[in-house]
Amino acid sequence: MSNRRRRGRTGRVIFGVAAVAAVGAAAAAGLGLPERGSDAGTSSGSAPAKTAQVTRQTLVDTENHDGKLGHGDSRTLTGRGAGTLTEVPAVGTTVQRGQALYRTDDTPIILLYGVLPSYRTLTAGAEGADVKQLEENLAALGYTGFTVDDEYSSATASAVRKWQGDLGLTRTGTVESGRIVYATGPVRVDEHKAEAGDPSGGAILAYTSTTPVVTLDLDTDDQRLAKSGSAVAAKLPDGRSVPGKIAAVQTVIKPAEGNDPAATKYRLTITPDDAKAFDGLDQMTVTVTFTAGRRENVLAVPVQALLALAEGGYGVQVVENGTTRVVAVKLGMFAAGKVEVAGDGIAAGTVVGMPG
């Protein structure tokens, strides 16, 4: 996605000696610490000017990525048959079941709910899943006197004639394929593709879902973050942080553009936990925070307490009874200025030096 910001990390899980050394060196370099220094076990009588305590806590590794708050991907509606387009709803209009998506030759093309497209004319004697889908919609709109099944009976035709009369259409009892557009729910008019007076046989409009969502693309090396159902938080421009979940993950191919080659992306759709949290918001950039890792009940020290050891790896300066000694530690997760540590004699409450 073009508005994607480079990710910001507050932590990182490290496994293995090589990884620990590499990340530790990077952390030390960033803090201005020497790459090699004291030997583990070295003792000294001088106490450091600043100290900190080893704490037992939960470390959370987070990453931030930019997303777009809008109404998700749009779909273009193409009209069928000859005729002249006479009315298109204004951009932003919500169209619900039984309402007109547009009008051609001053007659309505109706939105109904379903997953099957309207692909044939339905009349008495027809059978199939599309018949049942039509009857379900008629029943939802309040029409009665027929059984909701896969048979288009004379009772169904009678209900259709009532429906057609209410729409101002000729009461034929037959439903032409071009009279209905099926969508999975209410739609929002996102863009006009044609205007009144244009032929009604081409692209008419683009529509989206009516529910505001956040969408963003992740690189393939961020696959661990692209897990449907995972909790995230979206920070809005006004400073509010809205909790939500990853509702859908789709693999997409981003076409080559200029000198940039084609790339595979994970497209995420994020919905808020509170359905009203995004009401009235559209077309804005938000920062989405992902939880990449979490470590419960671990020992941690400020990253600044790390010392680079002459023999390799890292340690901390333990302050005890007026003396100090350097203890080698194994590093784990880095998060929010802290790092997970484990080593001989390291426990909650252990006092460590903070190199100046």
Coordinates of all heavy atoms in Angstrom, one line a residue, residues 102-194:
Y102 N -30.0 1.8 -8.8 CA -30.0 2.8 -9.8 C -31.3 2.6 -10.6 O -32.1 1.6 -10.4 CB -28.8 2.8 -10.8 CG -28.6 1.5 -11.6 CD1 -29.1 1.5 -12.9 CD2 -28.0 0.4 -11.1 CE1 -29.0 0.3 -13.7 CE2 -27.8 -0.7 -11.8 CZ -28.3 -0.8 -13.1 OH -28.2 -1.9 -13.9
R103 N -31.6 3.5 -11.5 CA -32.8 3.4 -12.4 C -32.4 3.5 -13.8 O -31.6 4.4 -14.2 CB -33.8 4.5 -12.0 CG -34.4 4.4 -10.6 CD -35.3 5.5 -10.3 NE -36.6 5.4 -11.0 CZ -37.6 4.7 -10.5 NH1 -37.6 4.1 -9.3 NH2 -38.8 4.6 -11.2
T104 N -33.0 2.6 -14.6 CA -32.8 2.7 -16.1 C -34.2 2.7 -16.7 O -35.1 2.0 -16.3 CB -32.0 1.4 -16.5 OG1 -31.8 1.5 -17.9 CG2 -32.7 0.1 -16.2
D105 N -34.3 3.6 -17.7 CA -35.6 3.9 -18.4 C -36.7 4.2 -17.3 O -37.8 3.7 -17.5 CB -36.0 2.7 -19.3 CG -35.1 2.5 -20.5 OD1 -34.3 3.5 -20.8 OD2 -35.1 1.4 -21.0
D106 N -36.2 4.8 -16.2 CA -37.1 5.2 -15.1 C -37.7 4.1 -14.4 O -38.8 4.2 -13.8 CB -38.2 6.2 -15.6 CG -38.7 7.1 -14.5 OD1 -37.9 7.3 -13.5 OD2 -39.9 7.5 -14.5
T107 N -37.1 2.9 -14.4 CA -37.5 1.7 -13.6 C -36.3 1.3 -12.7 O -35.2 1.4 -13.1 CB -37.9 0.6 -14.5 OG1 -36.8 0.1 -15.3 CG2 -39.1 1.0 -15.4
P108 N -36.7 0.8 -11.5 CA -35.6 0.5 -10.6 C -34.9 -0.8 -10.8 O -35.5 -1.8 -11.2 CB -36.3 0.5 -9.2 CG -37.7 0.0 -9.6 CD -38.0 0.6 -10.9
I109 N -33.6 -0.8 -10.6 CA -32.8 -2.1 -10.5 C -32.6 -2.3 -9.0 O -32.0 -1.5 -8.3 CB -31.5 -1.9 -11.2 CG1 -31.7 -1.5 -12.7 CG2 -30.7 -3.2 -11.2 CD1 -32.6 -2.4 -13.5
I110 N -33.1 -3.4 -8.5 CA -33.2 -3.6 -7.1 C -32.1 -4.4 -6.4 O -31.6 -5.4 -7.0 CB -34.6 -4.3 -6.8 CG1 -35.7 -3.6 -7.4 CG2 -34.8 -4.5 -5.3 CD1 -35.9 -2.2 -6.9
L111 N -31.7 -3.9 -5.2 CA -30.7 -4.7 -4.4 C -31.4 -5.7 -3.6 O -32.3 -5.4 -2.8 CB -29.9 -3.7 -3.6 CG -28.9 -4.4 -2.6 CD1 -27.7 -5.0 -3.4 CD2 -28.4 -3.4 -1.5
L112 N -30.9 -6.9 -3.6 CA -31.3 -8.0 -2.7 C -30.1 -8.6 -2.1 O -29.0 -8.4 -2.6 CB -32.2 -9.0 -3.4 CG -33.5 -8.5 -4.0 CD1 -34.3 -9.7 -4.7 CD2 -34.4 -7.9 -2.9
Y113 N -30.2 -9.4 -1.1 CA -29.1 -10.0 -0.4 C -28.9 -11.4 -0.8 O -29.9 -12.2 -0.8 CB -29.2 -9.9 1.1 CG -29.3 -8.5 1.7 CD1 -29.8 -8.3 3.0 CD2 -29.0 -7.4 0.9 CE1 -29.8 -7.0 3.5 CE2 -29.1 -6.1 1.4 CZ -29.5 -5.9 2.7 OH -29.6 -4.7 3.3
G114 N -27.7 -11.8 -1.1 CA -27.4 -13.2 -1.4 C -26.0 -13.3 -2.0 O -25.3 -12.3 -2.3
V115 N -25.5 -14.6 -2.2 CA -24.2 -14.8 -2.7 C -24.2 -15.2 -4.2 O -23.2 -15.1 -4.9 CB -23.4 -15.9 -1.9 CG1 -23.2 -15.3 -0.5 CG2 -24.2 -17.2 -1.8
L116 N -25.4 -15.7 -4.6 CA -25.5 -16.1 -6.0 C -25.9 -14.9 -6.9 O -26.7 -14.1 -6.5 CB -26.6 -17.2 -6.2 CG -26.3 -18.6 -5.7 CD1 -27.6 -19.5 -5.8 CD2 -25.2 -19.2 -6.6
P117 N -25.2 -14.8 -8.0 CA -25.6 -13.6 -8.9 C -27.0 -14.0 -9.6 O -27.4 -15.1 -9.6 CB -24.5 -13.6 -9.9 CG -24.0 -15.0 -10.0 CD -24.1 -15.5 -8.6
S118 N -27.6 -12.9 -10.0 CA -28.9 -13.1 -10.8 C -28.5 -13.4 -12.2 O -28.0 -12.6 -12.9 CB -29.7 -11.8 -10.7 OG -30.9 -12.0 -11.5
Y119 N -28.6 -14.7 -12.6 CA -28.0 -15.1 -13.9 C -29.0 -15.6 -14.9 O -28.7 -15.9 -16.0 CB -27.0 -16.2 -13.7 CG -27.5 -17.5 -13.1 CD1 -27.9 -18.5 -14.0 CD2 -27.6 -17.7 -11.7 CE1 -28.4 -19.7 -13.4 CE2 -28.1 -18.9 -11.2 CZ -28.5 -19.9 -12.1 OH -29.0 -21.1 -11.6
R120 N -30.3 -15.7 -14.5 CA -31.3 -16.1 -15.4 C -32.7 -15.5 -15.0 O -32.9 -15.0 -13.9 CB -31.4 -17.7 -15.4 CG -31.8 -18.2 -14.0 CD -32.1 -19.7 -14.1 NE -32.4 -20.3 -12.8 CZ -33.0 -21.5 -12.6 NH1 -33.4 -22.2 -13.6 NH2 -33.2 -21.9 -11.4
T121 N -33.6 -15.6 -16.0 CA -35.0 -15.2 -15.7 C -35.7 -16.2 -14.9 O -35.6 -17.4 -15.2 CB -35.8 -14.9 -17.0 OG1 -35.2 -13.8 -17.7 CG2 -37.2 -14.6 -16.7
L122 N -36.4 -15.8 -13.8 CA -37.1 -16.7 -12.9 C -38.6 -16.6 -13.2 O -39.2 -15.5 -13.1 CB -36.8 -16.4 -11.5 CG -35.3 -16.7 -11.1 CD1 -35.1 -16.3 -9.6 CD2 -34.9 -18.1 -11.4
T123 N -39.2 -17.7 -13.4 CA -40.7 -17.7 -13.7 C -41.2 -19.0 -13.1 O -40.5 -19.9 -12.7 CB -41.0 -17.6 -15.2 OG1 -42.4 -17.4 -15.3 CG2 -40.5 -18.8 -15.9
A124 N -42.6 -19.1 -13.1 CA -43.2 -20.3 -12.5 C -42.7 -21.6 -13.1 O -42.5 -21.7 -14.4 CB -44.7 -20.2 -12.7
G125 N -42.3 -22.6 -12.3 CA -41.8 -23.8 -12.8 C -40.2 -23.9 -12.6 O -39.7 -25.0 -12.7
A126 N -39.6 -22.8 -12.4 CA -38.1 -22.8 -12.2 C -37.8 -23.4 -10.8 O -38.5 -23.3 -9.9 CB -37.5 -21.4 -12.3
E127 N -36.6 -24.1 -10.8 CA -36.1 -24.7 -9.6 C -34.7 -24.4 -9.4 O -33.9 -24.2 -10.4 CB -36.4 -26.2 -9.6 CG -37.8 -26.6 -9.6 CD -38.0 -28.1 -9.5 OE1 -36.9 -28.8 -9.4 OE2 -39.1 -28.6 -9.7
G128 N -34.2 -24.3 -8.1 CA -32.8 -24.1 -7.9 C -32.5 -23.2 -6.7 O -33.4 -22.6 -6.1
A129 N -31.2 -23.1 -6.3 CA -30.8 -22.3 -5.2 C -31.1 -20.8 -5.4 O -31.4 -20.1 -4.4 CB -29.3 -22.5 -4.9
D130 N -31.1 -20.4 -6.6 CA -31.4 -19.0 -6.9 C -32.9 -18.6 -6.6 O -33.2 -17.5 -6.2 CB -31.0 -18.5 -8.3 CG -31.6 -19.4 -9.4 OD1 -32.0 -20.5 -9.1 OD2 -31.6 -19.0 -10.5
V131 N -33.7 -19.6 -6.8 CA -35.1 -19.5 -6.5 C -35.3 -19.3 -5.0 O -36.0 -18.3 -4.5 CB -36.0 -20.7 -7.0 CG1 -37.4 -20.5 -6.5 CG2 -35.9 -20.8 -8.5
K132 N -34.7 -20.1 -4.2 CA -34.7 -20.0 -2.8 C -34.2 -18.7 -2.3 O -34.7 -18.0 -1.4 CB -34.0 -21.2 -2.1 CG -34.1 -21.2 -0.6 CD -33.4 -22.4 0.0 CE -33.6 -22.4 1.5 NZ -32.9 -23.6 2.1
Q133 N -33.1 -18.2 -2.9 CA -32.5 -16.9 -2.5 C -33.5 -15.8 -2.8 O -33.6 -14.9 -1.9 CB -31.2 -16.7 -3.3 CG -30.5 -15.5 -3.0 CD -29.1 -15.4 -3.6 OE1 -28.1 -15.8 -3.1 NE2 -29.1 -15.0 -4.9
L134 N -34.2 -15.8 -3.9 CA -35.2 -14.8 -4.2 C -36.3 -14.9 -3.2 O -36.7 -13.8 -2.6 CB -35.7 -15.0 -5.6 CG -37.0 -14.1 -5.9 CD1 -36.5 -12.6 -6.0 CD2 -37.6 -14.5 -7.3
E135 N -36.8 -16.1 -2.9 CA -37.9 -16.2 -1.9 C -37.5 -15.8 -0.5 O -38.4 -15.2 0.2 CB -38.4 -17.7 -1.9 CG -39.1 -18.1 -3.2 CD -39.5 -19.5 -3.2 OE1 -38.9 -20.3 -2.5 OE2 -40.4 -19.9 -4.0
E136 N -36.3 -16.0 -0.1 CA -35.8 -15.6 1.2 C -35.9 -14.0 1.3 O -36.3 -13.5 2.3 CB -34.4 -16.0 1.4 CG -34.3 -17.5 1.7 CD -32.8 -18.0 1.7 OE1 -32.0 -17.3 1.2 OE2 -32.6 -19.1 2.3
N137 N -35.5 -13.4 0.2 CA -35.6 -11.9 0.2 C -37.0 -11.4 0.2 O -37.4 -10.4 0.9 CB -34.9 -11.4 -1.1 CG -33.4 -11.3 -0.9 OD1 -32.8 -10.3 -0.3 ND2 -32.6 -12.4 -1.2
L138 N -37.9 -12.1 -0.6 CA -39.3 -11.7 -0.6 C -39.9 -11.8 0.8 O -40.6 -10.9 1.3 CB -40.1 -12.5 -1.6 CG -39.8 -12.3 -3.1 CD1 -40.5 -13.3 -3.9 CD2 -40.2 -10.9 -3.5
A139 N -39.6 -12.9 1.5 CA -40.1 -13.1 2.8 C -39.5 -12.0 3.8 O -40.2 -11.5 4.6 CB -39.7 -14.5 3.3
A140 N -38.2 -11.7 3.6 CA -37.6 -10.7 4.5 C -38.2 -9.3 4.3 O -38.3 -8.4 5.2 CB -36.1 -10.6 4.2
L141 N -38.7 -9.1 3.1 CA -39.4 -7.8 2.7 C -40.9 -7.8 3.1 O -41.5 -6.8 2.9 CB -39.3 -7.5 1.2 CG -37.9 -7.2 0.7 CD1 -37.8 -7.2 -0.8 CD2 -37.4 -5.8 1.3
G142 N -41.3 -8.9 3.7 CA -42.7 -8.9 4.2 C -43.7 -9.6 3.3 O -44.9 -9.5 3.7
Y143 N -43.3 -10.2 2.2 CA -44.3 -10.8 1.3 C -44.5 -12.2 1.8 O -43.6 -12.9 2.3 CB -43.8 -10.8 -0.1 CG -43.7 -9.4 -0.6 CD1 -42.5 -8.7 -0.6 CD2 -44.8 -8.7 -1.1 CE1 -42.4 -7.3 -1.0 CE2 -44.7 -7.4 -1.6 CZ -43.5 -6.7 -1.5 OH -43.5 -5.4 -1.9
T144 N -45.8 -12.7 1.7 CA -46.2 -14.0 2.3 C -47.0 -14.8 1.2 O -47.2 -14.3 0.1 CB -47.0 -13.8 3.6 OG1 -48.2 -13.0 3.3 CG2 -46.2 -13.1 4.6
G145 N -47.5 -16.0 1.7 CA -48.3 -16.8 0.8 C -47.6 -17.8 0.0 O -48.2 -18.5 -0.8
F146 N -46.3 -18.0 0.2 CA -45.5 -19.0 -0.5 C -44.6 -19.7 0.5 O -44.4 -19.2 1.6 CB -44.7 -18.3 -1.6 CG -43.8 -17.3 -1.1 CD1 -42.5 -17.6 -0.8 CD2 -44.2 -16.0 -0.9 CE1 -41.6 -16.6 -0.4 CE2 -43.3 -15.0 -0.5 CZ -42.0 -15.3 -0.2
T147 N -44.1 -20.8 0.1 CA -43.1 -21.5 0.9 C -41.7 -21.2 0.4 O -41.4 -21.2 -0.8 CB -43.3 -23.1 0.7 OG1 -44.7 -23.4 1.2 CG2 -42.3 -23.8 1.6
V148 N -40.8 -20.9 1.3 CA -39.4 -20.6 1.0 C -38.7 -21.9 0.7 O -38.4 -22.7 1.6 CB -38.7 -19.8 2.1 CG1 -37.2 -19.6 1.7 CG2 -39.4 -18.5 2.3
D149 N -38.5 -22.2 -0.6 CA -37.8 -23.5 -1.0 C -37.2 -23.2 -2.3 O -37.0 -22.1 -2.7 CB -38.8 -24.7 -1.0 CG -40.0 -24.4 -1.9 OD1 -40.0 -23.5 -2.7 OD2 -41.0 -25.1 -1.7
D150 N -36.8 -24.2 -3.0 CA -36.1 -24.0 -4.3 C -37.1 -24.2 -5.5 O -36.6 -24.3 -6.6 CB -34.9 -25.0 -4.4 CG -35.4 -26.5 -4.4 OD1 -36.6 -26.7 -4.2 OD2 -34.5 -27.3 -4.5
E151 N -38.4 -24.1 -5.2 CA -39.4 -24.2 -6.3 C -40.1 -22.9 -6.5 O -40.7 -22.3 -5.6 CB -40.4 -25.3 -6.0 CG -39.7 -26.7 -6.0 CD -40.8 -27.8 -5.8 OE1 -42.0 -27.5 -5.8 OE2 -40.3 -28.9 -5.6
Y152 N -40.1 -22.4 -7.7 CA -40.8 -21.1 -8.1 C -42.3 -21.5 -8.4 O -42.6 -21.9 -9.6 CB -40.1 -20.5 -9.3 CG -40.5 -19.0 -9.5 CD1 -39.5 -18.0 -9.3 CD2 -41.8 -18.6 -9.8 CE1 -39.8 -16.7 -9.5 CE2 -42.1 -17.3 -10.0 CZ -41.1 -16.3 -9.9 OH -41.4 -15.0 -10.1
S153 N -43.1 -21.5 -7.4 CA -44.5 -22.0 -7.6 C -45.4 -20.8 -8.0 O -45.0 -19.7 -8.1 CB -45.0 -22.5 -6.2 OG -45.1 -21.5 -5.3
S154 N -46.7 -21.2 -8.2 CA -47.6 -20.1 -8.6 C -47.8 -19.2 -7.4 O -48.1 -18.0 -7.6 CB -49.0 -20.8 -8.9 OG -49.5 -21.5 -7.8
A155 N -47.6 -19.7 -6.2 CA -47.7 -18.8 -5.0 C -46.6 -17.8 -5.0 O -46.7 -16.6 -4.6 CB -47.7 -19.6 -3.7
T156 N -45.4 -18.3 -5.4 CA -44.2 -17.4 -5.5 C -44.5 -16.3 -6.6 O -44.2 -15.1 -6.3 CB -43.0 -18.2 -5.9 OG1 -42.7 -19.2 -5.0 CG2 -41.8 -17.3 -6.0
A157 N -45.0 -16.7 -7.7 CA -45.3 -15.8 -8.8 C -46.3 -14.7 -8.3 O -46.2 -13.5 -8.6 CB -45.9 -16.5 -10.0
S158 N -47.3 -15.1 -7.5 CA -48.3 -14.2 -6.9 C -47.6 -13.2 -6.0 O -47.9 -12.0 -6.1 CB -49.4 -15.0 -6.1 OG -50.3 -14.1 -5.6
A159 N -46.7 -13.6 -5.2 CA -45.9 -12.7 -4.3 C -45.1 -11.8 -5.1 O -45.0 -10.6 -4.8 CB -45.1 -13.5 -3.3
V160 N -44.5 -12.3 -6.2 CA -43.7 -11.4 -7.1 C -44.5 -10.4 -7.7 O -44.1 -9.2 -7.8 CB -43.0 -12.3 -8.1 CG1 -42.4 -11.4 -9.2 CG2 -41.9 -13.1 -7.5
R161 N -45.7 -10.7 -8.1 CA -46.6 -9.7 -8.7 C -46.9 -8.6 -7.7 O -46.9 -7.4 -8.1 CB -47.9 -10.3 -9.3 CG -47.7 -11.1 -10.6 CD -49.0 -11.4 -11.2 NE -49.6 -12.5 -10.4 CZ -49.5 -13.8 -10.7 NH1 -48.6 -14.2 -11.7 NH2 -50.1 -14.7 -10.0
K162 N -47.1 -8.9 -6.5 CA -47.4 -7.9 -5.4 C -46.1 -7.0 -5.3 O -46.2 -5.8 -5.2 CB -47.7 -8.5 -4.1 CG -49.1 -9.3 -4.1 CD -49.3 -10.0 -2.8 CE -50.6 -10.8 -2.8 NZ -50.8 -11.5 -1.5
W163 N -45.0 -7.6 -5.3 CA -43.7 -6.9 -5.1 C -43.5 -6.0 -6.3 O -43.2 -4.8 -6.1 CB -42.6 -7.9 -5.0 CG -41.2 -7.4 -5.0 CD1 -40.7 -6.4 -4.1 CD2 -40.1 -7.8 -5.8 NE1 -39.4 -6.2 -4.4 CE2 -39.0 -7.0 -5.4 CE3 -40.0 -8.7 -6.9 CZ2 -37.8 -7.1 -6.1 CZ3 -38.8 -8.8 -7.5 CH2 -37.7 -8.0 -7.1
Q164 N -43.8 -6.5 -7.5 CA -43.6 -5.6 -8.7 C -44.6 -4.5 -8.7 O -44.2 -3.3 -9.1 CB -43.8 -6.5 -10.0 CG -42.7 -7.5 -10.2 CD -43.1 -8.5 -11.3 OE1 -44.2 -8.9 -11.5 NE2 -42.0 -8.9 -12.1
G165 N -45.8 -4.7 -8.2 CA -46.7 -3.6 -8.1 C -46.3 -2.5 -7.2 O -46.4 -1.3 -7.5
D166 N -45.7 -2.9 -6.1 CA -45.2 -2.0 -5.1 C -44.0 -1.2 -5.6 O -43.8 0.0 -5.2 CB -44.8 -2.7 -3.8 CG -45.9 -3.2 -3.0 OD1 -47.1 -2.8 -3.3 OD2 -45.7 -4.2 -2.2
L167 N -43.3 -1.7 -6.6 CA -42.1 -1.1 -7.2 C -42.5 -0.2 -8.4 O -41.7 0.5 -8.9 CB -41.1 -2.1 -7.6 CG -40.4 -2.9 -6.5 CD1 -39.5 -4.0 -7.2 CD2 -39.5 -2.0 -5.6
G168 N -43.8 -0.3 -8.8 CA -44.2 0.5 -9.9 C -43.9 -0.2 -11.2 O -43.8 0.4 -12.3
L169 N -43.6 -1.5 -11.2 CA -43.3 -2.3 -12.4 C -44.5 -3.0 -12.9 O -45.5 -3.2 -12.2 CB -42.2 -3.3 -12.0 CG -40.9 -2.8 -11.5 CD1 -40.0 -3.9 -11.0 CD2 -40.2 -2.0 -12.6
T170 N -44.4 -3.5 -14.1 CA -45.5 -4.3 -14.7 C -45.6 -5.6 -13.9 O -44.6 -6.3 -13.7 CB -45.3 -4.6 -16.2 OG1 -45.1 -3.4 -16.8 CG2 -46.4 -5.4 -16.8
R171 N -46.8 -6.0 -13.5 CA -47.0 -7.2 -12.6 C -47.1 -8.4 -13.5 O -48.1 -9.0 -13.8 CB -48.3 -7.0 -11.9 CG -48.3 -5.8 -10.9 CD -49.8 -5.4 -10.5 NE -50.4 -6.4 -9.8 CZ -50.5 -6.5 -8.5 NH1 -50.0 -5.5 -7.7 NH2 -51.2 -7.5 -7.9
T172 N -45.9 -8.9 -13.8 CA -45.8 -10.1 -14.7 C -45.7 -11.4 -13.9 O -45.9 -12.5 -14.4 CB -44.6 -10.0 -15.6 OG1 -43.4 -10.0 -14.8 CG2 -44.7 -8.7 -16.4
G173 N -45.2 -11.4 -12.7 CA -44.9 -12.6 -11.9 C -43.6 -13.2 -12.3 O -43.2 -14.3 -11.8
T174 N -42.9 -12.6 -13.3 CA -41.6 -13.1 -13.8 C -40.5 -12.1 -13.4 O -40.7 -10.9 -13.6 CB -41.6 -13.3 -15.3 OG1 -42.6 -14.4 -15.6 CG2 -40.3 -13.8 -15.8
V175 N -39.3 -12.6 -13.0 CA -38.2 -11.7 -12.6 C -37.1 -11.9 -13.6 O -36.5 -12.9 -13.7 CB -37.7 -12.1 -11.2 CG1 -36.6 -11.1 -10.8 CG2 -38.9 -12.0 -10.1
E176 N -36.8 -10.8 -14.3 CA -35.8 -10.8 -15.3 C -34.4 -10.7 -14.6 O -34.3 -10.1 -13.5 CB -35.9 -9.6 -16.3 CG -37.2 -9.6 -17.1 CD -38.3 -8.8 -16.3 OE1 -38.0 -8.4 -15.1 OE2 -39.4 -8.7 -16.9
S177 N -33.4 -11.4 -15.2 CA -32.1 -11.4 -14.5 C -31.5 -10.0 -14.3 O -30.8 -9.8 -13.3 CB -31.1 -12.3 -15.3 OG -30.9 -11.7 -16.6
G178 N -31.8 -9.1 -15.2 CA -31.2 -7.8 -15.0 C -31.9 -6.9 -14.1 O -31.5 -5.7 -13.8
R179 N -33.0 -7.3 -13.5 CA -33.8 -6.5 -12.5 C -33.2 -6.5 -11.1 O -33.5 -5.6 -10.3 CB -35.3 -7.0 -12.5 CG -36.2 -6.3 -11.6 CD -36.3 -4.8 -12.0 NE -36.8 -4.7 -13.4 CZ -36.8 -3.6 -14.1 NH1 -36.3 -2.5 -13.6 NH2 -37.2 -3.5 -15.4
I180 N -32.4 -7.5 -10.8 CA -31.9 -7.7 -9.5 C -30.4 -7.7 -9.5 O -29.7 -8.2 -10.4 CB -32.3 -9.1 -8.9 CG1 -33.9 -9.1 -8.8 CG2 -31.8 -9.3 -7.5 CD1 -34.4 -10.5 -8.4
V181 N -29.8 -7.0 -8.4 CA -28.4 -7.1 -8.1 C -28.3 -7.7 -6.7 O -28.9 -7.2 -5.8 CB -27.7 -5.8 -8.2 CG1 -26.2 -5.9 -7.7 CG2 -27.8 -5.2 -9.6
Y182 N -27.5 -8.8 -6.6 CA -27.3 -9.4 -5.2 C -26.0 -8.9 -4.6 O -25.0 -8.9 -5.3 CB -27.3 -10.9 -5.4 CG -28.7 -11.5 -5.5 CD1 -29.1 -12.0 -6.7 CD2 -29.6 -11.6 -4.5 CE1 -30.4 -12.6 -6.9 CE2 -30.9 -12.1 -4.6 CZ -31.2 -12.6 -5.8 OH -32.5 -13.2 -6.0
A183 N -26.0 -8.6 -3.3 CA -24.8 -8.4 -2.6 C -25.0 -9.0 -1.2 O -26.1 -9.4 -0.8 CB -24.6 -6.9 -2.4
T184 N -23.9 -9.2 -0.4 CA -24.0 -9.9 0.8 C -24.7 -9.1 1.9 O -25.0 -9.6 3.0 CB -22.6 -10.3 1.3 OG1 -21.8 -9.1 1.4 CG2 -22.0 -11.3 0.3
G185 N -24.9 -7.8 1.7 CA -25.6 -7.0 2.7 C -25.7 -5.6 2.1 O -25.6 -5.4 0.9
P186 N -26.1 -4.6 3.0 CA -26.2 -3.2 2.5 C -24.9 -2.7 1.8 O -23.8 -3.2 2.2 CB -26.5 -2.4 3.8 CG -27.0 -3.4 4.8 CD -26.3 -4.7 4.4
V187 N -25.1 -1.9 0.9 CA -23.9 -1.3 0.2 C -23.9 0.2 0.3 O -24.9 0.8 0.5 CB -23.8 -1.8 -1.3 CG1 -23.8 -3.3 -1.4 CG2 -25.0 -1.2 -2.1
R188 N -22.7 0.7 0.1 CA -22.5 2.2 0.1 C -22.0 2.6 -1.3 O -21.0 2.0 -1.8 CB -21.5 2.5 1.2 CG -21.0 4.0 1.2 CD -19.9 4.2 2.2 NE -19.2 5.4 2.0 CZ -18.2 5.6 1.2 NH1 -17.8 4.6 0.4 NH2 -17.6 6.8 1.1
V189 N -22.6 3.5 -1.9 CA -22.2 4.0 -3.2 C -20.9 4.8 -3.0 O -20.8 5.8 -2.3 CB -23.2 4.9 -3.9 CG1 -22.7 5.5 -5.2 CG2 -24.6 4.2 -4.0
D190 N -19.8 4.3 -3.7 CA -18.5 4.8 -3.5 C -18.0 5.7 -4.6 O -17.3 6.7 -4.4 CB -17.5 3.6 -3.4 CG -16.1 4.1 -3.0 OD1 -15.9 4.7 -1.9 OD2 -15.1 3.8 -3.7
E191 N -18.5 5.4 -5.8 CA -18.1 6.2 -7.0 C -19.1 6.1 -8.1 O -19.6 5.0 -8.3 CB -16.7 5.8 -7.4 CG -16.1 6.5 -8.6 CD -14.8 5.9 -9.1 OE1 -14.3 4.9 -8.4 OE2 -14.2 6.4 -10.1
H192 N -19.3 7.1 -8.9 CA -20.1 7.0 -10.1 C -19.2 6.7 -11.3 O -18.2 7.3 -11.5 CB -20.8 8.4 -10.4 CG -21.9 8.7 -9.5 ND1 -22.5 9.9 -9.4 CD2 -22.5 7.9 -8.5 CE1 -23.5 9.9 -8.5 NE2 -23.5 8.7 -7.9
K193 N -19.6 5.7 -12.0 CA -18.9 5.3 -13.3 C -19.7 5.8 -14.5 O -19.1 5.8 -15.6 CB -18.8 3.8 -13.4 CG -18.1 3.1 -12.2 CD -16.6 3.4 -12.3 CE -15.8 2.7 -11.2 NZ -14.3 2.9 -11.3
A194 N -20.9 6.3 -14.3 CA -21.7 6.8 -15.4 C -22.7 7.8 -14.8 O -22.9 7.8 -13.5 CB -22.5 5.7 -16.1

